Amino acid sequence: MELKPMNSSANALVWTTTDYAEGNASVKQLATKFKNADLADKFRKTFVDCLQRLSQPREDSSSQTISRAQEHSQEINPRVFLTITADYETLGTIVVELYSNVVPKTAENFRALCTGEGFGLNNSIFHRVIPNFMCQGGDITNQDGTGGKSIYGRQFEDENFDIRHTGPGLLSMANHGRDTNGSQFYITLKKAENLDFKHVVFGWVHEGMEVVRQMAELGSPSGKTSKRISISDCGQIP
Protein backbone atom coordinates (compact mmCIF):
# COMPACT_ATOMS: atom_id res chain seq x y z
CA MET A 1 0.00 0.00 0.00
CA GLU A 2 1.10 3.57 -0.57
CA LEU A 3 0.08 7.14 0.20
CA LYS A 4 0.69 9.91 -2.34
CA PRO A 5 -0.37 13.54 -2.73
CA MET A 6 -3.10 14.30 -5.23
CA ASN A 7 -2.00 16.32 -8.23
CA SER A 8 -4.89 18.74 -7.77
CA SER A 9 -4.14 19.79 -4.18
CA ALA A 10 -1.25 19.84 -1.72
CA ASN A 11 -3.81 19.33 1.06
CA ALA A 12 -5.12 16.03 -0.33
CA LEU A 13 -3.68 12.50 -0.22
CA VAL A 14 -4.61 9.31 -2.06
CA TRP A 15 -4.24 5.95 -0.33
CA THR A 16 -3.82 3.02 -2.74
CA THR A 17 -3.74 -0.66 -1.81
CA THR A 18 -4.21 -4.05 -3.47
CA ASP A 19 -6.94 -6.33 -2.11
CA TYR A 20 -6.55 -10.09 -2.67
CA ALA A 21 -9.54 -11.16 -0.57
CA GLU A 22 -11.62 -12.37 -3.52
CA GLY A 23 -8.75 -14.23 -5.19
CA ASN A 24 -7.63 -11.85 -7.94
CA ALA A 25 -5.79 -8.60 -7.22
CA SER A 26 -8.13 -5.61 -6.95
CA VAL A 27 -6.76 -2.06 -6.59
CA LYS A 28 -8.58 0.09 -4.01
CA GLN A 29 -8.18 3.85 -3.57
CA LEU A 30 -9.30 6.34 -0.95
CA ALA A 31 -8.81 10.13 -1.21
CA THR A 32 -8.63 12.37 1.87
CA LYS A 33 -8.50 16.18 1.97
CA PHE A 34 -7.04 18.09 4.94
CA LYS A 35 -7.51 21.70 6.07
CA ASN A 36 -3.94 22.58 5.19
CA ALA A 37 -0.72 21.10 3.81
CA ASP A 38 0.86 20.85 7.28
CA LEU A 39 -1.86 18.50 8.53
CA ALA A 40 -1.55 16.43 5.35
CA ASP A 41 2.21 16.11 5.85
CA LYS A 42 1.80 15.07 9.52
CA PHE A 43 -0.72 12.41 8.50
CA ARG A 44 1.61 11.13 5.78
CA LYS A 45 4.51 10.80 8.26
CA THR A 46 2.29 8.94 10.75
CA PHE A 47 1.06 6.63 7.99
CA VAL A 48 4.61 5.76 6.91
CA ASP A 49 5.63 5.16 10.53
CA CYS A 50 2.71 2.75 11.03
CA LEU A 51 3.63 0.82 7.88
CA GLN A 52 7.20 0.45 9.09
CA ARG A 53 6.04 -0.82 12.48
CA LEU A 54 3.69 -3.35 10.88
CA SER A 55 6.48 -4.68 8.67
CA GLN A 56 8.68 -5.46 11.67
CA PRO A 57 7.97 -9.00 13.01
CA ARG A 58 7.50 -9.27 16.75
CA GLU A 59 9.78 -11.66 18.61
CA ASP A 60 6.88 -13.56 20.12
CA SER A 61 4.75 -13.74 16.96
CA SER A 62 5.54 -17.42 16.23
CA SER A 63 4.59 -18.63 19.69
CA GLN A 64 1.40 -16.57 19.64
CA THR A 65 0.42 -18.05 16.26
CA ILE A 66 1.01 -21.61 17.47
CA SER A 67 -1.05 -20.90 20.57
CA ARG A 68 -3.95 -19.54 18.49
CA ALA A 69 -3.89 -22.57 16.18
CA GLN A 70 -3.77 -24.99 19.08
CA GLU A 71 -6.95 -23.52 20.54
CA HIS A 72 -8.84 -25.76 18.08
CA SER A 73 -6.33 -28.63 17.99
CA GLN A 74 -7.47 -32.08 19.14
CA GLU A 75 -5.74 -35.46 19.13
CA ILE A 76 -8.68 -37.07 17.33
CA ASN A 77 -8.43 -34.67 14.38
CA PRO A 78 -7.06 -36.29 11.19
CA ARG A 79 -3.61 -35.31 9.93
CA VAL A 80 -2.50 -35.33 6.31
CA PHE A 81 0.81 -34.68 4.58
CA LEU A 82 1.83 -32.80 1.45
CA THR A 83 5.27 -33.37 -0.07
CA ILE A 84 6.30 -30.20 -1.92
CA THR A 85 8.66 -29.92 -4.88
CA ALA A 86 9.98 -26.90 -6.80
CA ASP A 87 10.98 -27.69 -10.40
CA TYR A 88 10.96 -31.34 -9.32
CA GLU A 89 13.41 -30.73 -6.44
CA THR A 90 11.92 -31.76 -3.08
CA LEU A 91 11.56 -28.90 -0.59
CA GLY A 92 10.14 -31.05 2.19
CA THR A 93 6.88 -32.28 3.69
CA ILE A 94 4.09 -30.32 5.33
CA VAL A 95 1.93 -32.02 7.97
CA VAL A 96 -1.53 -30.52 8.39
CA GLU A 97 -4.01 -31.06 11.20
CA LEU A 98 -7.58 -30.78 9.91
CA TYR A 99 -10.18 -29.14 12.14
CA SER A 100 -12.79 -31.87 11.79
CA ASN A 101 -14.07 -30.87 15.23
CA VAL A 102 -15.05 -27.41 13.92
CA VAL A 103 -15.65 -27.86 10.17
CA PRO A 104 -16.16 -31.62 9.62
CA LYS A 105 -17.47 -31.37 6.05
CA THR A 106 -14.67 -29.07 4.86
CA ALA A 107 -12.03 -31.13 6.67
CA GLU A 108 -13.32 -34.36 5.13
CA ASN A 109 -13.17 -32.81 1.66
CA PHE A 110 -9.48 -31.96 2.08
CA ARG A 111 -8.68 -35.32 3.70
CA ALA A 112 -10.22 -37.21 0.77
CA LEU A 113 -8.43 -34.98 -1.74
CA CYS A 114 -5.14 -35.86 -0.04
CA THR A 115 -5.82 -39.60 -0.09
CA GLY A 116 -6.97 -39.46 -3.73
CA GLU A 117 -10.27 -41.29 -3.47
CA GLY A 118 -11.05 -41.07 -7.19
CA PHE A 119 -9.25 -37.77 -7.71
CA GLY A 120 -7.15 -35.50 -5.59
CA LEU A 121 -4.29 -33.09 -4.96
CA ASN A 122 -1.41 -35.33 -6.01
CA ASN A 123 0.63 -33.69 -8.82
CA SER A 124 -1.36 -30.45 -8.58
CA ILE A 125 0.46 -27.12 -8.32
CA PHE A 126 0.54 -23.95 -6.26
CA HIS A 127 -0.30 -21.58 -9.08
CA ARG A 128 -0.20 -18.37 -7.02
CA VAL A 129 2.21 -17.39 -4.24
CA ILE A 130 2.27 -13.87 -2.83
CA PRO A 131 5.05 -13.32 -0.26
CA ASN A 132 3.84 -12.06 3.12
CA PHE A 133 0.27 -13.08 2.23
CA MET A 134 -0.44 -16.65 1.10
CA CYS A 135 0.30 -19.68 -1.10
CA GLN A 136 -2.66 -20.82 -3.23
CA GLY A 137 -3.07 -24.26 -4.76
CA GLY A 138 -5.56 -27.04 -5.28
CA ASP A 139 -6.85 -26.33 -8.78
CA ILE A 140 -6.90 -30.00 -9.69
CA THR A 141 -8.70 -29.50 -13.02
CA ASN A 142 -7.16 -26.46 -14.72
CA GLN A 143 -4.02 -25.75 -12.66
CA ASP A 144 -4.44 -21.99 -13.06
CA GLY A 145 -6.96 -20.89 -10.43
CA THR A 146 -10.04 -21.13 -12.63
CA GLY A 147 -11.04 -24.69 -11.78
CA GLY A 148 -11.18 -27.33 -9.08
CA LYS A 149 -13.88 -29.57 -7.63
CA SER A 150 -14.87 -31.03 -4.28
CA ILE A 151 -15.79 -34.56 -3.24
CA TYR A 152 -19.39 -33.33 -2.92
CA GLY A 153 -19.62 -32.04 -6.49
CA ARG A 154 -18.16 -29.04 -8.27
CA GLN A 155 -18.82 -26.72 -5.31
CA PHE A 156 -20.15 -26.84 -1.77
CA GLU A 157 -21.34 -24.29 0.76
CA ASP A 158 -19.38 -22.35 3.38
CA GLU A 159 -19.60 -24.46 6.54
CA ASN A 160 -18.87 -21.70 9.07
CA PHE A 161 -16.40 -18.90 9.80
CA ASP A 162 -15.72 -19.80 13.43
CA ILE A 163 -11.93 -19.80 13.01
CA ARG A 164 -10.23 -16.57 11.98
CA HIS A 165 -7.10 -16.04 9.89
CA THR A 166 -5.00 -15.13 12.95
CA GLY A 167 -1.50 -15.76 11.59
CA PRO A 168 0.75 -17.81 9.28
CA GLY A 169 0.30 -21.52 8.67
CA LEU A 170 -3.49 -21.68 8.51
CA LEU A 171 -5.27 -23.51 5.68
CA SER A 172 -8.33 -21.83 4.29
CA MET A 173 -10.65 -22.53 1.37
CA ALA A 174 -10.15 -20.33 -1.70
CA ASN A 175 -13.36 -19.49 -3.52
CA HIS A 176 -15.04 -17.28 -6.12
CA GLY A 177 -17.67 -15.91 -3.75
CA ARG A 178 -20.12 -17.21 -1.20
CA ASP A 179 -20.70 -21.01 -1.14
CA THR A 180 -18.28 -21.78 -4.00
CA ASN A 181 -15.78 -24.07 -2.26
CA GLY A 182 -14.10 -26.75 -4.34
CA SER A 183 -10.54 -28.00 -3.99
CA GLN A 184 -8.56 -24.74 -4.04
CA PHE A 185 -7.03 -23.56 -0.77
CA TYR A 186 -4.68 -21.05 0.80
CA ILE A 187 -1.82 -21.46 3.24
CA THR A 188 -1.49 -18.13 5.02
CA LEU A 189 1.91 -16.49 5.45
CA LYS A 190 0.71 -13.87 7.93
CA LYS A 191 -2.38 -12.72 9.76
CA ALA A 192 -5.03 -12.08 7.11
CA GLU A 193 -8.09 -10.39 8.60
CA ASN A 194 -9.31 -9.48 5.11
CA LEU A 195 -10.10 -13.18 4.56
CA ASP A 196 -12.25 -13.49 7.71
CA PHE A 197 -15.96 -14.25 7.17
CA LYS A 198 -15.27 -14.91 3.47
CA HIS A 199 -13.08 -18.03 3.55
CA VAL A 200 -13.43 -21.13 5.73
CA VAL A 201 -10.36 -22.03 7.83
CA PHE A 202 -10.11 -25.82 8.07
CA GLY A 203 -6.60 -26.70 9.29
CA TRP A 204 -3.14 -25.59 10.31
CA VAL A 205 0.46 -26.54 9.53
CA HIS A 206 1.41 -28.80 12.42
CA GLU A 207 4.87 -29.51 10.99
CA GLY A 208 6.86 -28.12 8.06
CA MET A 209 6.36 -24.38 8.29
CA GLU A 210 9.93 -24.00 7.06
CA VAL A 211 8.80 -25.63 3.80
CA VAL A 212 5.98 -23.08 3.48
CA ARG A 213 8.52 -20.28 3.95
CA GLN A 214 10.64 -21.74 1.14
CA MET A 215 7.57 -21.72 -1.07
CA ALA A 216 6.96 -18.07 -0.21
CA GLU A 217 10.45 -17.17 -1.42
CA LEU A 218 9.50 -18.44 -4.88
CA GLY A 219 6.50 -16.14 -5.19
CA SER A 220 6.05 -12.55 -6.34
CA PRO A 221 3.68 -9.60 -5.72
CA SER A 222 1.69 -10.65 -8.79
CA GLY A 223 1.47 -14.23 -7.55
CA LYS A 224 3.57 -15.68 -10.36
CA THR A 225 6.08 -18.27 -9.13
CA SER A 226 9.72 -18.44 -10.22
CA LYS A 227 9.59 -22.25 -10.17
CA ARG A 228 6.88 -24.84 -10.64
CA ILE A 229 5.71 -25.63 -7.08
CA SER A 230 3.82 -28.90 -6.93
CA ILE A 231 2.50 -31.56 -4.56
CA SER A 232 4.48 -34.65 -5.51
CA ASP A 233 2.87 -36.88 -2.87
CA CYS A 234 0.09 -36.59 -0.32
CA GLY A 235 -2.01 -38.74 1.95
CA GLN A 236 -3.32 -39.31 5.45
CA ILE A 237 -1.09 -40.05 8.44
CA PRO A 238 -2.36 -43.13 10.32
Side-chain angles (χ1 to χ4, degrees):
M1 64 179 71
E2 60 181 357
L3 193 69
K4 291 184 176 181
M6 289 184 66
N7 294 331
S8 59
S9 173
N11 300 353
L13 298 170
V14 177
W15 172 71
T16 304
T17 187
T18 304
D19 183 7
Y20 297 97
E22 300 300 333
N24 296 321
S26 175
V27 176
K28 308 288 186 180
Q29 287 190 319
L30 176 67
T32 305
K33 188 173 183 179
F34 297 86
K35 289 184 177 180
N36 53 59
D38 184 56
L39 285 175
D41 187 58
K42 287 181 178 179
F43 180 85
R44 181 190 60 77
K45 290 178 180 178
T46 302
F47 182 89
V48 171
D49 182 62
C50 288
L51 282 182
Q52 291 174 342
R53 290 174 182 271
L54 288 171
S55 65
Q56 296 173 356
R58 294 179 299 176
E59 292 182 359
D60 62 346
S61 61
S62 296
S63 60
Q64 287 183 345
T65 300
I66 292 173
S67 177
R68 286 286 187 90
Q70 288 181 340
E71 288 178 3
H72 305 282
S73 177
Q74 289 188 2
E75 286 294 327
I76 61 172
N77 284 341
R79 294 183 183 181
V80 295
F81 71 90
L82 306 172
T83 299
I84 307 298
T85 61
D87 282 353
Y88 307 102
E89 178 183 350
T90 301
L91 298 181
T93 298
I94 301 168
V95 175
V96 175
E97 177 185 341
L98 302 176
Y99 293 134
S100 60
N101 54 321
V102 182
V103 282
K105 186 172 184 177
T106 310
E108 174 58 19
N109 178 63
F110 195 80
R111 186 205 64 78
L113 290 172
C114 287
T115 56
E117 299 170 20
F119 55 90
L121 295 171
N122 198 26
N123 293 321
S124 65
I125 67 169
F126 284 86
H127 63 276
R128 193 164 73 111
V129 176
I130 301 175
N132 205 36
F133 179 36
M134 61 82 204
C135 304
Q136 182 177 351
D139 183 350
I140 60 177
T141 57
N142 298 339
Q143 307 287 355
D144 60 4
T146 63
K149 62 180 180 179
S150 79
I151 64 171
Y152 310 112
R154 185 171 178 269
Q155 299 175 343
F156 69 102
E157 69 280 0
D158 298 322
E159 195 163 3
N160 64 58
F161 303 110
D162 291 351
I163 306 176
R164 310 288 189 266
H165 300 78
T166 54
L170 290 167
L171 275 76
S172 175
M173 294 300 295
N175 59 45
H176 297 287
R178 187 177 179 85
D179 298 327
T180 58
N181 301 290
S183 53
Q184 290 193 52
F185 64 97
Y186 302 131
I187 303 177
T188 60
L189 299 170
K190 60 175 288 186
K191 184 177 182 179
E193 293 175 312
N194 58 313
L195 300 180
D196 290 345
F197 305 106
K198 298 178 182 179
H199 301 269
V200 178
V201 177
F202 62 89
W204 69 293
V205 177
H206 189 271
E207 300 173 27
M209 197 59 202
E210 69 281 358
V211 178
V212 178
R213 286 190 285 267
Q214 289 181 69
M215 294 165 61
E217 293 176 358
L218 301 175
S220 66
S222 69
K224 185 177 180 179
T225 60
S226 59
K227 294 183 178 181
R228 185 181 190 274
I229 306 172
S230 62
I231 300 172
S232 59
D233 192 18
C234 55
Q236 184 171 358
I237 298 175

Short mmCIF file of all heavy atoms in Angstrom, two decimals, residues 72-74 76-80 96-103 106-112 114 171 202-204 236:
data_model
loop_
_atom_site.label_atom_id
_atom_site.label_comp_id
_atom_site.label_asym_id
_atom_site.label_seq_id
_atom_site.Cartn_x
_atom_site.Cartn_y
_atom_site.Cartn_z
N HIS A 72 -7.87 -24.86 18.72
CA HIS A 72 -8.84 -25.76 18.08
C HIS A 72 -8.24 -27.14 17.81
O HIS A 72 -8.90 -28.00 17.23
CB HIS A 72 -9.32 -25.14 16.77
CG HIS A 72 -9.89 -23.76 16.93
ND1 HIS A 72 -11.15 -23.54 17.41
CD2 HIS A 72 -9.35 -22.54 16.70
CE1 HIS A 72 -11.38 -22.23 17.45
NE2 HIS A 72 -10.30 -21.61 17.03
N SER A 73 -7.00 -27.36 18.24
CA SER A 73 -6.33 -28.63 17.99
C SER A 73 -6.84 -29.72 18.92
O SER A 73 -7.06 -29.48 20.11
CB SER A 73 -4.81 -28.45 18.19
OG SER A 73 -4.15 -29.68 18.02
N GLN A 74 -7.05 -30.92 18.36
CA GLN A 74 -7.47 -32.08 19.14
C GLN A 74 -6.76 -33.32 18.62
O GLN A 74 -6.52 -33.45 17.42
CB GLN A 74 -8.98 -32.28 19.08
CG GLN A 74 -9.79 -31.23 19.83
CD GLN A 74 -11.27 -31.58 19.90
OE1 GLN A 74 -11.70 -32.64 19.41
NE2 GLN A 74 -12.05 -30.71 20.49
N ILE A 76 -7.86 -36.22 18.21
CA ILE A 76 -8.68 -37.07 17.33
C ILE A 76 -8.78 -36.50 15.92
O ILE A 76 -9.26 -37.17 15.00
CB ILE A 76 -10.10 -37.26 17.91
CG1 ILE A 76 -10.81 -35.91 18.05
CG2 ILE A 76 -10.05 -37.99 19.24
CD1 ILE A 76 -12.29 -36.04 18.42
N ASN A 77 -8.36 -35.25 15.72
CA ASN A 77 -8.43 -34.67 14.38
C ASN A 77 -7.49 -35.39 13.42
O ASN A 77 -6.37 -35.72 13.79
CB ASN A 77 -8.06 -33.19 14.42
CG ASN A 77 -9.16 -32.30 14.97
OD1 ASN A 77 -10.33 -32.71 15.01
ND2 ASN A 77 -8.81 -31.11 15.41
N PRO A 78 -7.94 -35.63 12.18
CA PRO A 78 -7.06 -36.29 11.19
C PRO A 78 -5.90 -35.40 10.79
O PRO A 78 -6.00 -34.16 10.82
CB PRO A 78 -7.99 -36.54 10.01
CG PRO A 78 -9.07 -35.53 10.14
CD PRO A 78 -9.27 -35.32 11.62
N ARG A 79 -4.78 -36.03 10.43
CA ARG A 79 -3.61 -35.31 9.93
C ARG A 79 -3.25 -35.86 8.55
O ARG A 79 -3.30 -37.06 8.32
CB ARG A 79 -2.44 -35.43 10.89
CG ARG A 79 -2.69 -34.75 12.23
CD ARG A 79 -1.48 -34.82 13.15
NE ARG A 79 -1.77 -34.23 14.45
CZ ARG A 79 -0.92 -34.13 15.44
NH1 ARG A 79 0.32 -34.59 15.29
NH2 ARG A 79 -1.27 -33.58 16.59
N VAL A 80 -2.88 -34.95 7.68
CA VAL A 80 -2.50 -35.33 6.31
C VAL A 80 -1.12 -34.73 6.02
O VAL A 80 -0.65 -33.84 6.73
CB VAL A 80 -3.53 -34.82 5.28
CG1 VAL A 80 -4.87 -35.51 5.49
CG2 VAL A 80 -3.69 -33.30 5.36
N VAL A 96 -0.39 -31.39 8.09
CA VAL A 96 -1.53 -30.52 8.39
C VAL A 96 -2.52 -31.23 9.30
O VAL A 96 -2.89 -32.38 9.04
CB VAL A 96 -2.25 -30.10 7.09
CG1 VAL A 96 -3.51 -29.29 7.40
CG2 VAL A 96 -1.31 -29.32 6.18
N GLU A 97 -2.90 -30.57 10.38
CA GLU A 97 -4.01 -31.06 11.20
C GLU A 97 -5.29 -30.44 10.69
O GLU A 97 -5.38 -29.22 10.52
CB GLU A 97 -3.83 -30.71 12.67
CG GLU A 97 -5.01 -31.16 13.54
CD GLU A 97 -4.93 -30.73 14.99
OE1 GLU A 97 -3.81 -30.39 15.45
OE2 GLU A 97 -5.98 -30.71 15.67
N LEU A 98 -6.31 -31.26 10.43
CA LEU A 98 -7.58 -30.78 9.91
C LEU A 98 -8.57 -30.59 11.05
O LEU A 98 -8.72 -31.47 11.90
CB LEU A 98 -8.14 -31.78 8.89
CG LEU A 98 -7.23 -32.07 7.69
CD1 LEU A 98 -7.85 -33.15 6.80
CD2 LEU A 98 -6.97 -30.80 6.88
N TYR A 99 -9.25 -29.46 11.06
CA TYR A 99 -10.18 -29.14 12.14
C TYR A 99 -11.53 -29.82 11.92
O TYR A 99 -12.55 -29.16 11.73
CB TYR A 99 -10.37 -27.63 12.23
CG TYR A 99 -9.16 -26.85 12.67
CD1 TYR A 99 -8.78 -25.69 11.98
CD2 TYR A 99 -8.40 -27.23 13.77
CE1 TYR A 99 -7.68 -24.95 12.39
CE2 TYR A 99 -7.30 -26.50 14.17
CZ TYR A 99 -6.95 -25.36 13.47
OH TYR A 99 -5.86 -24.62 13.87
N SER A 100 -11.53 -31.14 11.98
CA SER A 100 -12.79 -31.87 11.79
C SER A 100 -13.76 -31.65 12.95
O SER A 100 -14.96 -31.90 12.83
CB SER A 100 -12.52 -33.37 11.62
OG SER A 100 -11.87 -33.89 12.77
N ASN A 101 -13.23 -31.17 14.07
CA ASN A 101 -14.07 -30.87 15.23
C ASN A 101 -14.83 -29.55 15.07
O ASN A 101 -15.82 -29.31 15.78
CB ASN A 101 -13.22 -30.80 16.50
CG ASN A 101 -12.05 -29.83 16.40
OD1 ASN A 101 -11.41 -29.74 15.35
ND2 ASN A 101 -11.77 -29.10 17.47
N VAL A 102 -14.41 -28.72 14.13
CA VAL A 102 -15.05 -27.41 13.92
C VAL A 102 -15.75 -27.36 12.57
O VAL A 102 -16.88 -26.86 12.46
CB VAL A 102 -14.02 -26.27 14.01
CG1 VAL A 102 -14.71 -24.92 13.84
CG2 VAL A 102 -13.28 -26.31 15.34
N VAL A 103 -15.09 -27.86 11.53
CA VAL A 103 -15.65 -27.86 10.17
C VAL A 103 -15.51 -29.26 9.58
O VAL A 103 -14.69 -29.50 8.69
CB VAL A 103 -14.96 -26.80 9.27
CG1 VAL A 103 -15.46 -25.41 9.57
CG2 VAL A 103 -13.44 -26.84 9.44
N THR A 106 -15.80 -29.66 5.58
CA THR A 106 -14.67 -29.07 4.86
C THR A 106 -13.40 -29.87 5.10
O THR A 106 -12.60 -30.10 4.18
CB THR A 106 -14.46 -27.61 5.30
OG1 THR A 106 -15.72 -26.92 5.23
CG2 THR A 106 -13.46 -26.91 4.41
N ALA A 107 -13.20 -30.32 6.34
CA ALA A 107 -12.03 -31.13 6.67
C ALA A 107 -12.05 -32.47 5.93
O ALA A 107 -11.02 -32.93 5.43
CB ALA A 107 -11.97 -31.37 8.18
N GLU A 108 -13.21 -33.08 5.83
CA GLU A 108 -13.32 -34.36 5.13
C GLU A 108 -13.05 -34.19 3.63
O GLU A 108 -12.43 -35.06 3.00
CB GLU A 108 -14.71 -34.95 5.34
CG GLU A 108 -15.00 -36.23 4.55
CD GLU A 108 -14.03 -37.37 4.83
OE1 GLU A 108 -13.33 -37.35 5.87
OE2 GLU A 108 -13.97 -38.30 4.00
N ASN A 109 -13.46 -33.08 3.07
CA ASN A 109 -13.17 -32.81 1.66
C ASN A 109 -11.67 -32.79 1.42
O ASN A 109 -11.17 -33.44 0.49
CB ASN A 109 -13.78 -31.46 1.26
CG ASN A 109 -13.50 -31.07 -0.18
OD1 ASN A 109 -13.90 -31.74 -1.12
ND2 ASN A 109 -12.77 -29.97 -0.35
N PHE A 110 -10.93 -32.06 2.27
CA PHE A 110 -9.48 -31.96 2.08
C PHE A 110 -8.80 -33.30 2.37
O PHE A 110 -7.85 -33.68 1.67
CB PHE A 110 -8.91 -30.86 2.97
CG PHE A 110 -7.52 -30.45 2.58
CD1 PHE A 110 -7.31 -29.58 1.51
CD2 PHE A 110 -6.41 -30.91 3.27
CE1 PHE A 110 -6.03 -29.19 1.14
CE2 PHE A 110 -5.13 -30.54 2.90
CZ PHE A 110 -4.93 -29.67 1.83
N ARG A 111 -9.27 -34.01 3.38
CA ARG A 111 -8.68 -35.32 3.70
C ARG A 111 -8.80 -36.26 2.50
O ARG A 111 -7.82 -36.93 2.11
CB ARG A 111 -9.37 -35.93 4.92
CG ARG A 111 -8.73 -37.23 5.43
CD ARG A 111 -9.72 -38.09 6.17
NE ARG A 111 -10.80 -38.56 5.32
CZ ARG A 111 -10.70 -39.56 4.47
NH1 ARG A 111 -9.54 -40.22 4.33
NH2 ARG A 111 -11.73 -39.93 3.72
N ALA A 112 -9.99 -36.32 1.91
CA ALA A 112 -10.22 -37.21 0.77
C ALA A 112 -9.43 -36.77 -0.46
O ALA A 112 -8.96 -37.61 -1.25
CB ALA A 112 -11.71 -37.27 0.45
N CYS A 114 -6.53 -35.45 -0.31
CA CYS A 114 -5.14 -35.86 -0.04
C CYS A 114 -4.95 -37.36 -0.25
O CYS A 114 -3.89 -37.79 -0.73
CB CYS A 114 -4.76 -35.50 1.40
SG CYS A 114 -4.48 -33.74 1.67
N LEU A 171 -4.72 -23.11 6.98
CA LEU A 171 -5.27 -23.51 5.68
C LEU A 171 -6.71 -23.06 5.60
O LEU A 171 -7.50 -23.26 6.52
CB LEU A 171 -5.18 -25.03 5.49
CG LEU A 171 -3.83 -25.53 4.95
CD1 LEU A 171 -2.77 -25.51 6.05
CD2 LEU A 171 -3.96 -26.93 4.37
N PHE A 202 -9.83 -24.41 7.78
CA PHE A 202 -10.11 -25.82 8.07
C PHE A 202 -8.91 -26.60 8.61
O PHE A 202 -9.02 -27.81 8.87
CB PHE A 202 -10.64 -26.52 6.82
CG PHE A 202 -9.67 -26.55 5.67
CD1 PHE A 202 -8.76 -27.60 5.54
CD2 PHE A 202 -9.67 -25.55 4.71
CE1 PHE A 202 -7.86 -27.63 4.48
CE2 PHE A 202 -8.78 -25.58 3.65
CZ PHE A 202 -7.88 -26.62 3.53
N GLY A 203 -7.75 -25.96 8.77
CA GLY A 203 -6.60 -26.70 9.29
C GLY A 203 -5.42 -25.79 9.55
O GLY A 203 -5.49 -24.58 9.30
N TRP A 204 -4.35 -26.37 10.07
CA TRP A 204 -3.14 -25.59 10.31
C TRP A 204 -1.91 -26.46 10.09
O TRP A 204 -1.97 -27.69 10.19
CB TRP A 204 -3.13 -24.99 11.72
CG TRP A 204 -2.96 -25.97 12.86
CD1 TRP A 204 -3.85 -26.93 13.26
CD2 TRP A 204 -1.84 -26.08 13.75
NE1 TRP A 204 -3.36 -27.62 14.34
CE2 TRP A 204 -2.14 -27.12 14.68
CE3 TRP A 204 -0.64 -25.39 13.87
CZ2 TRP A 204 -1.25 -27.49 15.70
CZ3 TRP A 204 0.23 -25.76 14.88
CH2 TRP A 204 -0.08 -26.79 15.78
N GLN A 236 -2.94 -39.45 4.04
CA GLN A 236 -3.32 -39.31 5.45
C GLN A 236 -2.32 -40.03 6.33
O GLN A 236 -1.82 -41.11 5.98
CB GLN A 236 -4.72 -39.87 5.70
CG GLN A 236 -5.22 -39.68 7.12
CD GLN A 236 -6.68 -40.05 7.29
OE1 GLN A 236 -7.35 -40.43 6.33
NE2 GLN A 236 -7.20 -39.95 8.50
#
